Amino acid sequence: MSELKRYERPIINKQYSGFMNKFGTSPITTPKTEIDGIAVNHLVEQFGSPLFVMSERRIRENQRNAYRIFKTRYPKVQFAWSYKTNYLDAVCSVFHSENSWAEVVSEFEYDKARRLGIKGDNIIFNGPDKSREALVKAIRNKSKIHIDHFDELYLIIEITEQIQMKAEVAIRINMDVGVYPKWDRFGFNYENGEAWQAIKRIMANKNLKLVGLHTHIGTYMMSAEAYRIAATNMALLTRSIRDEYKHLLQYIDMGGGFASNNTLIGQYLPAEQVVPSLEQFADAISSGLFSLSFSAEDLPLLILETGRALVDDAGYLITSVLANKRLSGGKRALIIDAGVNILFTSFWYKHKISPAQECGVYQEEAAIYGPLCMNIDCVRESITLPSLKQGDKLIIEHVGAYDMTQWMQFITLRPNVVMVMEDKSTELIRKAETLEYIIERENLPAKFQKK
Ligand SMILES: *Cc1c(COP(=O)(O)O)cnc(C)c1O
């Protein structure tokens, strides 16, 4: 028996003169029915909905591509995976197997990297909050400690005296790169001489070894020029350190922040048209580093802590339509089973959202709401989609960065995460949460317990 064609309820579209109408162009929605060759239906049958899916193949491609792009422009390149962007063990492990070090911004992330077998000296420890215990650990393991402020510098000096060990340190530097508001709350300022003060303090201390300089000028940066300015400043400082102290730094760490191909809310053109390519970022950084004018063997290693640009498009969220609705003004609304509690990035991105099955030709604007009983749970104010019925699937793309770290249990729990492996097998890399998981952490005072 041949399958019945899908019934499409007719809709009436008002035509306005002077505007695009049914005789003009309309957006074409092509369904996306598989991820890396695995049918979406199959994934949902096996792992449920909503479901996060990570692509091993895409992560590897992205990392290799980025390495090639930088390595062809500057001779010594090392990537360090930004844990906070996505710290699922499986995801970090793919990056580490592509030769990436770990870049962490908390003790918990630090411990997670150690657990995955990352050597202490391949861990970069960033961030404004490093406890005494965390610093002791990092010093003993010879990790690269990127100092954020003078109080941290003094604490490190004190610890090294106490435990009689040397610490490998760098300082984080903030500067004016022509992008506003300025990110000046992290690290030491370049323009007002604070960074140089910190360098002097470090160079004067026998227990501290200044191994590098670090900057991270912002996130989702759309200006390659900002990186050229930053790299130039870093190169000039590195040169001053050589000239003043006859001391060669091991590395310059340019941080992360390259924009990914996700369109910001309020941005008119799609990301593919406005986001600079990795080549442009790499050109800018390598041209800034020319200011070093060092001989080849004296050149410092260039470290990159690229996060979102390497993982965003390797993540997908499969979600199901729970209901169709009409708002009081007549606007179409869809309710889906994935809310903003697991899709934090919907507060700033207009994600690409595609139906995951064959669909009809009629398109209509719709708002997409999540399942939470909260007015803020709006996944998308407005998107043009074909008609969808209850149970139909949608794929939300480019959700590999920050969603799986900033998600929360709020009204609903976090769902399964699977990885489609290079050989097209699928692995569950994080189990959906359960009520038991939630209450395991709770403690009910005895007087409330039912005997
Ligand atoms: C968050 C962060 C990164 C990664 O930023 P992306 O915008 O995801 O590339 C790198 N370095 C530091 C210090 C960070 O805080």
mmCIF file of all heavy atoms in Angstrom, residues 35-38 42-43 46-47 53-57 418-428:
data_model
loop_
_atom_site.group_PDB
_atom_site.id
_atom_site.type_symbol
_atom_site.label_atom_id
_atom_site.label_comp_id
_atom_site.label_asym_id
_atom_site.label_seq_id
_atom_site.Cartn_x
_atom_site.Cartn_y
_atom_site.Cartn_z
ATOM 1 N N ILE A 35 20.750 13.548 10.725
ATOM 2 C CA ILE A 35 21.953 14.203 11.234
ATOM 3 C C ILE A 35 23.117 13.244 11.001
ATOM 4 O O ILE A 35 23.081 12.107 11.492
ATOM 5 C CB ILE A 35 21.806 14.537 12.742
ATOM 6 C CG1 ILE A 35 20.690 15.569 12.934
ATOM 7 C CG2 ILE A 35 23.137 15.041 13.320
ATOM 8 C CD1 ILE A 35 20.308 15.826 14.374
ATOM 9 N N ASP A 36 24.081 13.683 10.237
ATOM 10 C CA ASP A 36 25.229 12.832 9.868
ATOM 11 C C ASP A 36 24.779 11.444 9.387
ATOM 12 O O ASP A 36 25.376 10.428 9.754
ATOM 13 C CB ASP A 36 26.186 12.648 11.064
ATOM 14 C CG ASP A 36 27.039 13.887 11.305
ATOM 15 O OD1 ASP A 36 26.799 14.917 10.651
ATOM 16 O OD2 ASP A 36 27.946 13.821 12.153
ATOM 17 N N GLY A 37 23.703 11.424 8.623
ATOM 18 C CA GLY A 37 23.266 10.150 8.050
ATOM 19 C C GLY A 37 22.371 9.317 8.947
ATOM 20 O O GLY A 37 21.943 8.238 8.560
ATOM 21 N N ILE A 38 22.087 9.790 10.144
ATOM 22 C CA ILE A 38 21.195 9.040 11.041
ATOM 23 C C ILE A 38 19.816 9.706 11.020
ATOM 24 O O ILE A 38 19.707 10.911 11.261
ATOM 25 C CB ILE A 38 21.721 9.041 12.493
ATOM 26 C CG1 ILE A 38 23.199 8.662 12.553
ATOM 27 C CG2 ILE A 38 20.869 8.126 13.378
ATOM 28 C CD1 ILE A 38 23.503 7.252 12.163
ATOM 29 N N HIS A 42 14.625 7.857 13.899
ATOM 30 C CA HIS A 42 15.324 6.757 14.546
ATOM 31 C C HIS A 42 15.923 7.224 15.887
ATOM 32 O O HIS A 42 15.812 6.553 16.908
ATOM 33 C CB HIS A 42 16.407 6.272 13.592
ATOM 34 C CG HIS A 42 17.182 5.122 14.101
ATOM 35 N ND1 HIS A 42 16.656 3.855 14.186
ATOM 36 C CD2 HIS A 42 18.447 5.043 14.585
ATOM 37 C CE1 HIS A 42 17.564 3.050 14.686
ATOM 38 N NE2 HIS A 42 18.658 3.736 14.953
ATOM 39 N N LEU A 43 16.532 8.413 15.850
ATOM 40 C CA LEU A 43 17.139 8.955 17.074
ATOM 41 C C LEU A 43 16.082 9.166 18.155
ATOM 42 O O LEU A 43 16.289 8.842 19.330
ATOM 43 C CB LEU A 43 17.847 10.281 16.773
ATOM 44 C CG LEU A 43 19.158 10.182 15.983
ATOM 45 C CD1 LEU A 43 19.591 11.542 15.455
ATOM 46 C CD2 LEU A 43 20.256 9.592 16.877
ATOM 47 N N GLN A 46 14.796 5.964 19.712
ATOM 48 C CA GLN A 46 15.765 5.363 20.628
ATOM 49 C C GLN A 46 16.016 6.196 21.885
ATOM 50 O O GLN A 46 16.174 5.648 22.974
ATOM 51 C CB GLN A 46 17.085 5.174 19.877
ATOM 52 C CG GLN A 46 17.751 3.870 20.180
ATOM 53 C CD GLN A 46 19.095 3.783 19.466
ATOM 54 O OE1 GLN A 46 19.307 4.428 18.423
ATOM 55 N NE2 GLN A 46 19.994 3.012 20.027
ATOM 56 N N PHE A 47 16.058 7.516 21.734
ATOM 57 C CA PHE A 47 16.515 8.349 22.858
ATOM 58 C C PHE A 47 15.500 9.374 23.345
ATOM 59 O O PHE A 47 15.775 10.120 24.273
ATOM 60 C CB PHE A 47 17.813 9.074 22.478
ATOM 61 C CG PHE A 47 18.936 8.147 22.110
ATOM 62 C CD1 PHE A 47 19.291 7.955 20.790
ATOM 63 C CD2 PHE A 47 19.626 7.455 23.102
ATOM 64 C CE1 PHE A 47 20.336 7.097 20.452
ATOM 65 C CE2 PHE A 47 20.667 6.598 22.771
ATOM 66 C CZ PHE A 47 21.018 6.417 21.443
ATOM 67 N N VAL A 53 21.926 16.417 20.113
ATOM 68 C CA VAL A 53 22.768 15.537 19.312
ATOM 69 C C VAL A 53 24.069 16.271 18.985
ATOM 70 O O VAL A 53 24.038 17.404 18.510
ATOM 71 C CB VAL A 53 22.060 15.142 17.992
ATOM 72 C CG1 VAL A 53 22.923 14.175 17.189
ATOM 73 C CG2 VAL A 53 20.690 14.536 18.274
ATOM 74 N N MET A 54 25.192 15.640 19.287
ATOM 75 C CA MET A 54 26.502 16.209 18.937
ATOM 76 C C MET A 54 27.110 15.384 17.809
ATOM 77 O O MET A 54 26.987 14.164 17.804
ATOM 78 C CB MET A 54 27.457 16.166 20.136
ATOM 79 C CG MET A 54 27.078 17.005 21.345
ATOM 80 S SD MET A 54 26.964 18.785 21.054
ATOM 81 C CE MET A 54 28.553 19.169 20.330
ATOM 82 N N SER A 55 27.779 16.052 16.904
ATOM 83 C CA SER A 55 28.417 15.361 15.793
ATOM 84 C C SER A 55 29.931 15.282 16.003
ATOM 85 O O SER A 55 30.618 16.297 16.000
ATOM 86 C CB SER A 55 28.119 16.099 14.487
ATOM 87 O OG SER A 55 29.052 15.746 13.485
ATOM 88 N N GLU A 56 30.425 14.072 16.205
ATOM 89 C CA GLU A 56 31.872 13.901 16.371
ATOM 90 C C GLU A 56 32.608 14.365 15.110
ATOM 91 O O GLU A 56 33.618 15.069 15.177
ATOM 92 C CB GLU A 56 32.222 12.424 16.635
ATOM 93 C CG GLU A 56 33.718 12.216 16.836
ATOM 94 C CD GLU A 56 34.177 10.757 16.816
ATOM 95 O OE1 GLU A 56 33.366 9.857 16.537
ATOM 96 O OE2 GLU A 56 35.368 10.533 17.069
ATOM 97 N N ARG A 57 32.055 13.983 13.962
ATOM 98 C CA ARG A 57 32.715 14.314 12.703
ATOM 99 C C ARG A 57 32.871 15.841 12.549
ATOM 100 O O ARG A 57 33.932 16.346 12.198
ATOM 101 C CB ARG A 57 31.887 13.747 11.532
ATOM 102 C CG ARG A 57 32.510 13.901 10.171
ATOM 103 C CD ARG A 57 31.630 13.262 9.074
ATOM 104 N NE ARG A 57 30.273 13.785 9.060
ATOM 105 C CZ ARG A 57 29.938 14.970 8.538
ATOM 106 N NH1 ARG A 57 30.846 15.724 7.977
ATOM 107 N NH2 ARG A 57 28.691 15.385 8.583
ATOM 108 N N VAL A 418 23.124 12.690 22.848
ATOM 109 C CA VAL A 418 23.819 11.610 22.155
ATOM 110 C C VAL A 418 24.889 12.192 21.252
ATOM 111 O O VAL A 418 24.839 13.357 20.874
ATOM 112 C CB VAL A 418 22.874 10.729 21.288
ATOM 113 C CG1 VAL A 418 21.852 10.020 22.131
ATOM 114 C CG2 VAL A 418 22.220 11.537 20.202
ATOM 115 N N MET A 419 25.871 11.370 20.947
ATOM 116 C CA MET A 419 26.871 11.770 19.970
ATOM 117 C C MET A 419 26.782 10.820 18.792
ATOM 118 O O MET A 419 26.766 9.601 18.976
ATOM 119 C CB MET A 419 28.282 11.745 20.577
ATOM 120 C CG MET A 419 29.361 12.237 19.617
ATOM 121 S SD MET A 419 31.010 12.301 20.385
ATOM 122 C CE MET A 419 30.968 13.915 21.166
ATOM 123 N N VAL A 420 26.659 11.391 17.591
ATOM 124 C CA VAL A 420 26.755 10.565 16.396
ATOM 125 C C VAL A 420 28.236 10.435 16.107
ATOM 126 O O VAL A 420 28.923 11.436 15.892
ATOM 127 C CB VAL A 420 26.008 11.183 15.198
ATOM 128 C CG1 VAL A 420 26.196 10.321 13.953
ATOM 129 C CG2 VAL A 420 24.528 11.339 15.517
ATOM 130 N N MET A 421 28.724 9.193 16.173
ATOM 131 C CA MET A 421 30.152 8.972 16.049
ATOM 132 C C MET A 421 30.552 8.969 14.577
ATOM 133 O O MET A 421 29.710 8.873 13.690
ATOM 134 C CB MET A 421 30.549 7.639 16.709
ATOM 135 C CG MET A 421 29.979 7.447 18.113
ATOM 136 S SD MET A 421 30.378 8.779 19.272
ATOM 137 C CE MET A 421 32.117 8.482 19.521
ATOM 138 N N GLU A 422 31.864 9.053 14.360
ATOM 139 C CA GLU A 422 32.362 9.088 12.981
ATOM 140 C C GLU A 422 31.936 7.871 12.175
ATOM 141 O O GLU A 422 31.707 7.954 10.981
ATOM 142 C CB GLU A 422 33.896 9.152 12.998
ATOM 143 C CG GLU A 422 34.411 10.549 13.132
ATOM 144 C CD GLU A 422 35.920 10.580 12.932
ATOM 145 O OE1 GLU A 422 36.632 9.819 13.603
ATOM 146 O OE2 GLU A 422 36.368 11.362 12.084
ATOM 147 N N ASP A 423 31.819 6.709 12.850
ATOM 148 C CA ASP A 423 31.446 5.487 12.129
ATOM 149 C C ASP A 423 29.931 5.326 12.054
ATOM 150 O O ASP A 423 29.431 4.254 11.757
ATOM 151 C CB ASP A 423 32.078 4.267 12.820
ATOM 152 C CG ASP A 423 31.508 4.050 14.221
ATOM 153 O OD1 ASP A 423 30.613 4.824 14.653
ATOM 154 O OD2 ASP A 423 31.946 3.098 14.899
ATOM 155 N N LYS A 424 29.202 6.390 12.358
ATOM 156 C CA LYS A 424 27.733 6.429 12.276
ATOM 157 C C LYS A 424 27.032 5.605 13.352
ATOM 158 O O LYS A 424 25.840 5.349 13.252
ATOM 159 C CB LYS A 424 27.237 6.004 10.887
ATOM 160 C CG LYS A 424 27.790 6.898 9.804
ATOM 161 C CD LYS A 424 26.821 7.095 8.679
ATOM 162 C CE LYS A 424 27.342 8.231 7.830
ATOM 163 N NZ LYS A 424 26.897 8.341 6.537
ATOM 164 N N SER A 425 27.749 5.193 14.352
ATOM 165 C CA SER A 425 27.049 4.615 15.493
ATOM 166 C C SER A 425 26.609 5.787 16.367
ATOM 167 O O SER A 425 27.056 6.923 16.154
ATOM 168 C CB SER A 425 27.974 3.680 16.274
ATOM 169 O OG SER A 425 29.099 4.399 16.735
ATOM 170 N N THR A 426 25.723 5.526 17.328
ATOM 171 C CA THR A 426 25.316 6.601 18.225
ATOM 172 C C THR A 426 25.628 6.187 19.661
ATOM 173 O O THR A 426 25.448 5.030 20.033
ATOM 174 C CB THR A 426 23.806 6.891 18.114
ATOM 175 O OG1 THR A 426 23.102 5.666 18.156
ATOM 176 C CG2 THR A 426 23.482 7.616 16.837
ATOM 177 N N GLU A 427 26.111 7.159 20.438
ATOM 178 C CA GLU A 427 26.445 6.880 21.837
ATOM 179 C C GLU A 427 25.698 7.878 22.709
ATOM 180 O O GLU A 427 25.701 9.077 22.433
ATOM 181 C CB GLU A 427 27.948 7.081 22.084
ATOM 182 C CG GLU A 427 28.843 6.142 21.324
ATOM 183 C CD GLU A 427 29.108 4.839 22.065
ATOM 184 O OE1 GLU A 427 28.538 4.645 23.167
ATOM 185 O OE2 GLU A 427 29.889 4.030 21.539
ATOM 186 N N LEU A 428 25.093 7.361 23.776
ATOM 187 C CA LEU A 428 24.472 8.243 24.756
ATOM 188 C C LEU A 428 25.612 8.849 25.575
ATOM 189 O O LEU A 428 26.345 8.125 26.239
ATOM 190 C CB LEU A 428 23.544 7.408 25.641
ATOM 191 C CG LEU A 428 22.739 8.155 26.694
ATOM 192 C CD1 LEU A 428 21.805 9.171 26.052
ATOM 193 C CD2 LEU A 428 21.933 7.175 27.538
#
